[in-house]
Amino acid sequence: IFCNSVTPTEPHLQQWLKEGVTIEVHTLSHPCPILGGRNFVPAKNTYHGGVDLLNNITNNLPVAFRTPCCDSQNTPSPRVFSELLMRNNPAGQFLEMDTSVFNIFTSEDKSLPASLLTDADGEAKFEKYVPFDSYVVTIENYPYPYAVGSSIWEMPCMVPSDWEAQHLHGNNNPVTVEDWKAAIDATVLKEGVFNFVFHPHGWVQNTQMIEWIDHITEAHGNKVKFLNFREALERLTKNMLGGQPLKAKNGQDNGVRLLDLNNDGFMDAVIGNETVQETRLWDPKAKRWKTSPFPFRLAHIDRDGNRSDSGARFGVLHPSGYASVFISNETVNGIWHFDGNGWQKDQALGQGLEIGGQAIQTANAGRDNGVRLRDTDNDGMCEIIVGNPQSQAVLKWNKSQRKWLPPNFNLPKNVQIVREDGSDNGVRFVDINKDGYLDVIHSNEVRYSFHLYVPQPILGWGIGWTREVMSDLRNDGNAIPMIVRGGEHNNNGAWFHSNHLWVQNEDTAHLPNLVDRRSFDDLLRGVMPLPKSPEDSAKAIETLPGFKVELMVNEPLVMDPVAFEWDEHGRLWVVEMADYPLGLDDNGKPGGRVRVLEDRNNDGRYDHSTVFLDALPYPSGVIPWRDGVLVSAAPNILFARDTNGDLRADETKILFTGFVEGNQQHRMNGFEYGLDNWVYAANGDSGGIIRSPGKDLSVNIRGRDFRFHPDTLAFETQAGQTQFGRRRDDWGNWFGNNNPSIGWHYPFPEHYIRRNPQLAS
C-alpha cells in the first residue's frame, strides 16, 4: 500500500502488515507533479519526510516509492531518481526500489501471440491506454526489474492502471479486466513481473479484482507468485545478487553492476566490494547462476566510510563481443575480458593507455575522470573516450601496431564529460540523426552544443564529431534544454525517448504535459543529411512488421537508376538517367544508359555489371522483350538486342516516335506488361502525336496513357494520364499518379469503350 501522510499508530496499519502487505512511500502530500512551482525544496521535503514517516510505523520497513500521478502525468523525472531516490534523508534512511515507470506490451514483441497484443478490431490492445501522445515515462516489452544508476531497482508497472482504464472507457468496464488478463498471460509467457496499480476510488470493483486473481490461479497455478515489494526485493537480492544488495548499509554504492556479460540477451551481475568479488552468469538452459571470481572492487571506500564508483568502465574490447572492463585508479590498473567462464587480464591491451605521457585514470579517490567506452565507428569494438578539464582524447586500438592510437578526431571543443569535481557535465552520446552513429549533445547551465558524427570525410568534414549543428553560451533563446544545471542537485531531469529530448523538473511543470522537449527533427532543422554508405542506407529503412530490406546492388555497379526490370534469367535490367537534368555537358548531351546486372556467384547480390546501351536522352523505362529489351527515351521507344552474346546492344531500332521531350520529369515512361499481352506505358503529361517508322500510324496521346504491341506495332491510347509509373495489380486493375496525387484507379479500360461506337468516350 503506497501511503501519504498517515498516523503511524493507526491500528489498521498493524493489521495490514500482519496480512502480508508492506506500507510504502508515496510522499507526504501527494503533489502532482512532485517537481513543480520552480522550487526543489518542497519535493525534497515531501519525499524524505515520507520515508521518515513510514519508517516510524512499528514492524514496517519501507523499501519502495511510487511517484504521485505517474500513470497520468510525466512525473517520474530522472531528477527525481538522481536527486531524491538515490540520496538518504537527514536521518540516514533510504529506499531501494521505485515503481513509477510503465511497461507497455506492443506488437513489436514477436515472442508473444498476436491475440494477446491486439483487440478484435486489429488495434493495439495496450497502447490505447496511453493517456496522451507525449506521455513518455514508459518502456516497451520489458516486464522485468532493472537497475537505475546501479543503486535503485525499477520495478516497472503494467499498463493499464485502473486510472488509465477509467480514463479511456469509464469505471468498472469489463474490457479492463479482459485486458488485465491478457497482460498477465503475456507476463507469464515472458517469465516477468506484473506490478499492478489500482486506487481506492471506485475505478475498479473488488469483484473485478477477484475475477482477475481467479483467472491467474486457474490459468497459471504456481507459475505466479503474489509478492509485496519487500519480498520482491529480498528475492532479487538473494537469487540474482547472491545476497548482496544494490545499496550498501549506508545507502551508497555497494559495487554491484548488472550487464549482459556473454551477449546472450540475459542480464548477469558482477559484484566487487569489501566482502564479495564475484561474477554471476545466468545459464538460461539450466536456469541457474554460475559463479566465478571478479578481479577487483567496484566500490571505492574513503577513510570516512563514504562509498563511490571505483572507476570500472564496461564495454566491448574483444572480438568475441563479450564484455570487457577497463579500470585505472590508485590501486588497480588494466583491461580484463570475460571469456564465458571468467575474467582474463589482457596485458597487451592494457599498455600504452596514456595522454601526453600521463597514464589515463578512470577515477581518482572515487572521483570520476570522465572516461567512457563507446563504439564510435560501428566496428563492434569500443573506443576509449576521455573528457575532463585536463584531458580530452579518443583512443582506438590499432591491430597492426598493437597499441592505442588517436583516430584523428577528438571530442568537440568545450565538450567535457565531467567537471573538475568529477560531477556530470551534461554530455550524452545519442544517435540523433538515426544514421547508426553516436552523436554528441552537450548542455549545462553555461553552454550547449550538438555535433553530428561524420563516418567518412566529406564536404570538408573529417571523420568524427566534426559537423557542428549548434554551439553557444546559454544566453541564446534557442538553447538546448539543460541536461545538468550545476549546484547541489545537478541532474536537470533530461532523458531521451521516442526521438525526443525530454526534460521534467520544477521549472517545466507549467509547460504542456509538464515537460520541455526538443524533437530530433527540431534539433536537426536545416541540417542536410550526409550521404550514407549502401549498408547504412539499408539499415536506415524502416519497414512494416513482416517485411525486411536487403541490399541487392550498389555503386559503382549501378548509378543514377530510375527504372528496372528482371528477365527470365534473373538478370536485372536498369535504366540510368546519368544525364539528368542538363545533359552530360550541361547543354543537353545525352548520357543515359541501360545496364544489365548479373549474380554470377549465386549469393543473392549482383556482382557483375555491363553497359548494354548508352548515349540515350534521359531514358525512363526498360522491359525485356523477346531476345532484347524495350527502352523508353523520348522522343522514341526503342527495341535493342545483343546478337553475339556479349550483353552489349548490336542492333537498335525505333518502334515508335513523336513523344514530346520537354521537361525530363514529364516525359513518357514505362513499362508494365498487361494481362492481355500488351505493353502499357505512362504519358508523362507531355503528350505527342505518335508514329511508327514504315507504318501508317498517327495517334495523338494528349491526356491519355497508352499501350502497344511490340511485334505487330499496334498502338492505342488508354484511359488515364499518369506522370510516372502506370502499374497494375494481379487482377488487371490499373493505377497511376502525378506529382501532387499519390494514386488514381483507372476502373474502365478505354479499349472496352472504344469497341462500342454508340458510346461517347
Side-chain angles (χ1 to χ4, degrees), residues 199-228:
H199 301 74
H201 300 314
W203 296 332
V204 59
Q205 295 176 341
N206 290 343
T207 54
Q208 291 178 306
M209 294 289 298
I210 293 170
E211 178 186 347
W212 179 68
I213 293 170
D214 286 344
H215 167 79
I216 294 173
T217 56
E218 293 169 5
H220 305 297
N222 61 9
K223 290 182 180 179
V224 175
K225 298 291 185 184
F226 291 87
L227 304 173
N228 61 42

Side-chain angles (χ1 to χ4, degrees), residues 540-562:
I541 298 173
E542 298 181 3
T543 64
L544 293 173
F547 292 86
K548 67 177 180 178
V549 174
E550 295 180 354
L551 182 62
M552 184 174 64
V553 65
N554 55 263
E555 301 91 341
L557 295 182
V558 64
M559 292 177 285
D560 307 308
V562 296

Side-chain angles (χ1 to χ4, degrees), residues 658-725:
F659 298 96
V660 173
E661 296 175 69
N663 188 328
Q664 301 92 333
Q665 300 174 74
H666 290 270
R667 298 188 178 198
M668 69 87 186
N669 55 88
F671 298 104
E672 181 84 338
Y673 198 57
L675 297 179
D676 51 11
N677 294 324
W678 289 64
V679 176
Y680 287 71
N683 179 298
D685 297 342
S686 292
I689 297 176
I690 311 308
R691 295 178 172 84
S692 179
K695 184 177 175 63
D696 183 16
L697 174 73
S698 179
V699 179
N700 189 338
I701 63 169
R702 180 180 180 182
R704 295 285 193 275
D705 291 337
F706 58 93
R707 68 173 184 168
F708 63 94
H709 201 288
D711 293 344
T712 65
L713 299 182
F715 189 100
E716 298 178 352
T717 56
Q718 283 294 297
Q721 178 173 302
T722 302
Q723 181 176 341
F724 209 99

Side-chain angles (χ1 to χ4, degrees), residues 349 395-405:
L349 208 63
L395 297 176
K396 181 177 179 62
W397 179 251
N398 187 293
K399 294 179 182 178
S400 60
Q401 299 187 39
R402 295 190 58 76
K403 63 180 180 180
W404 292 95
L405 295 174

Side-chain angles (χ1 to χ4, degrees), residues 622-640:
V622 64
I623 190 170
W625 182 263
R626 303 295 186 190
D627 58 349
V629 291
L630 303 173
V631 181
S632 57
N636 304 318
I637 291 178
L638 309 171
F639 174 71

Side-chain angles (χ1 to χ4, degrees), residues 261-263 279 281 292-293 318-325 336-345:
L261 293 173
N262 59 352
N263 200 24
T279 301
L281 183 74
S292 60
H318 191 273
S320 67
Y322 287 7
S324 302
V325 60
W336 284 259
H337 306 300
F338 186 73
D339 66 2
N341 296 303
W343 294 91
Q344 308 300 326
K345 190 169 186 179

Side-chain angles (χ1 to χ4, degrees), residues 11-152:
H12 280 98
L13 299 180
Q14 295 305 311
Q15 180 62 36
W16 290 339
L17 290 170
K18 289 178 182 178
E19 291 174 357
V21 303
T22 53
I23 301 172
E24 308 293 353
V25 179
H26 203 39
T27 71
L28 285 177
S29 55
H30 200 273
C32 286
I34 185 173
L35 297 177
R38 301 185 183 276
N39 189 349
F40 184 72
V41 174
K44 184 166 62 172
N45 291 341
T46 192
Y47 170 75
H48 289 310
V51 175
D52 180 71
L53 177 67
L54 296 195
N55 270 282
N56 283 314
I57 298 174
T58 302
N59 301 319
N60 188 57
L61 183 60
V63 299
F65 175 71
R66 179 167 295 150
T67 310
C69 302
C70 59
D71 56 351
S72 59
Q73 298 180 3
N74 288 313
T75 54
S77 164
R79 185 163 170 80
V80 171
F81 282 89
S82 178
E83 308 303 333
L84 295 178
L85 293 172
M86 295 180 187
R87 300 198 181 201
N88 297 357
N89 70 7
Q93 299 159 333
F94 57 88
L95 300 179
E96 299 178 70
M97 183 176 288
D98 177 74
T99 71
S100 305
V101 176
F102 277 75
N103 177 65
I104 305 173
F105 285 123
T106 76
S107 59
E108 294 297 314
D109 191 335
K110 303 306 178 186
S111 69
L112 295 174
S115 60
L116 293 180
L117 304 175
T118 55
D119 291 330
D121 59 3
E123 296 298 315
K125 184 179 294 292
F126 301 108
E127 290 158 280
K128 66 176 181 277
Y129 289 104
V130 174
F132 48 89
D133 289 342
S134 54
Y135 177 72
V136 287
V137 288
T138 58
I139 58 175
E140 293 182 356
N141 304 315
Y142 195 82
Y144 308 106
Y146 58 92
V148 179
S150 301
S151 65
I152 192 161

